[in-house]
Amino acid sequence: MNKVIIGAFADEAGGRLDDQIAAMLDNGVKHLEARMVDGKNFVDCTAEEARAIKAKLDANDLRIWSIGSPLGKINITDPMEPHLDKLKHTLELAAIMGSERIRMFSFFIPEGEDPAVYRDEVMERLSRMVEVAAGSGVKLCHENEKGIYGDVAVRCKDILDSVPGLGGIFDPANFIQCGQNTLEAWDLLKDRIDYFHVKDCLEDGKVVPCGKGIGHVPEILSKFIAAGGQQLTVEPHLTVFDGFAALEKDGAKTKMDAFAYPSKRAAFDAAVAALKESLV
């Protein structure tokens, strides 16, 4: 089996960088996909703040391998120039951190409207973003997400076929929440997937640990790894229920709360453990 590299959105374990570092170290996770750090989105950090973050991570033998940016999460009708400026700043942060990837999206489509109406504008904007990143050594990677042009597999394929240089991120739970069968999505996209966001989902849209939902996640991960894929990012998105303790009796969870957790850290630990178990 190819060597699997496990990363994580460690901001789901805690908002403070120190808490994120502790969660990664305790779970044997070396790679951070940076999103929120100490109360702000990482892409809003200054260069000086990024260097301070890097110093802390370096001291613990950790690294930001990818920036989980919100780039592309604007309305397709919003101005693009300010967004390109945000991308340029994010690329500067990636250079400071030695990051290899930037996660991004394909723009919110007005609710109730046909995405096909906006297709050409989506492709033009994504192409401009890839042009800005060209020569930086950082690859932009598109994540499937609810409400954007690239929500279902056929439109994700359209994006990846139409915008050379753009990588793909496969998020099983997001596909399920859009009514997309994950096995069909994998068959359509498997040649263009750069890395995974690991989270599973029930039919009702509730996110659950890897292998506990209807996403065929262990099966698809096995295919990804067998084809040479390596990088996985754990994205827990699990239910954290403050009243959890009151519903416990004799240490057993109620059936209703089988996948609810007493804290963000407990949810993060469970998500990492579920992924590791599925890889055995």
Side-chain angles (χ1 to χ4, degrees), residues 78-90:
D78 289 342
M80 190 60 185
E81 292 305 323
H83 215 54
L84 292 178
D85 290 339
K86 177 71 74 175
L87 170 58
K88 292 172 185 175
H89 177 66
T90 305

Side-chain angles (χ1 to χ4, degrees), residues 73-108:
K73 270 197 170 183
I74 60 172
N75 296 322
I76 190 62
T77 53
D78 289 342
M80 190 60 185
E81 292 305 323
H83 215 54
L84 292 178
D85 290 339
K86 177 71 74 175
L87 170 58
K88 292 172 185 175
H89 177 66
T90 305
L91 287 165
E92 292 172 359
L93 297 179
I96 291 169
M97 305 309 296
S99 303
E100 303 167 18
R101 301 287 187 270
I102 294 174
R103 181 275 304 271
M104 37 80 73
F105 302 91
S106 54
F107 310 102
F108 290 119

